[in-house]
Amino acid sequence: DEKEKFEPTVFRDTIVQGLNEAGNDLEAIAKFLDAAGSRLDYRRYADTLFDILVAGSMLAPGGTRIDDNDKTKMTNHCVFFADEDHDAIRNYAQVS
């Protein structure tokens, strides 16, 4: 029985790259997440996925981002960077 490596940073990089390539189109983001779900283990990396979709990158204990301001490790396509109105937040919630 081989154990799979737990690599949340590789998962983060893959998700962030896909979100950034999808641009500002939430439908394209939803399609990317749907397609990636068949090859990425969302259950195994659920906490990392949640961090990315809400805060834009992985979070350390205490809530600080651990991206070192490296733009390739973070995305602006998340709830924290959404417009501050009900419809925008609802649209991001529907994608998640």
Side-chain angles (χ1 to χ4, degrees):
D1 227 9
E2 281 189 47
K3 291 186 178 183
E4 285 186 52
K5 289 183 179 179
F6 184 69
E7 297 177 334
T9 55
V10 173
F11 178 83
R12 176 209 51 209
D13 294 345
T14 303
I15 294 294
V16 166
Q17 179 183 4
L19 293 177
N20 289 339
E21 289 175 358
N24 293 327
D25 183 7
L26 288 180
E27 188 172 321
I29 290 172
K31 285 181 182 179
F32 163 72
L33 290 171
D34 187 41
S38 64
R39 58 185 166 77
L40 299 175
D41 192 352
Y42 283 170
R43 286 185 181 181
R44 183 180 188 122
Y45 299 107
D47 291 339
T48 304
L49 180 62
F50 183 78
D51 290 351
I52 294 167
L53 295 176
V54 173
S57 187
M58 286 175 51
L59 299 176
T64 58
R65 290 192 338 204
I66 56 173
D67 53 42
D68 300 323
N69 289 324
D70 182 347
K71 299 294 183 190
T72 63
K73 297 179 182 179
M74 56 188 282
T75 184
N76 291 335
H77 307 298
C78 63
V79 173
F80 282 9
F81 288 100
D83 293 335
E84 293 183 23
D85 66 51
H86 186 273
D87 290 334
I89 300 299
R90 183 180 43 177
N91 289 337
Y92 273 94
Q94 289 175 347
V95 167
S96 303

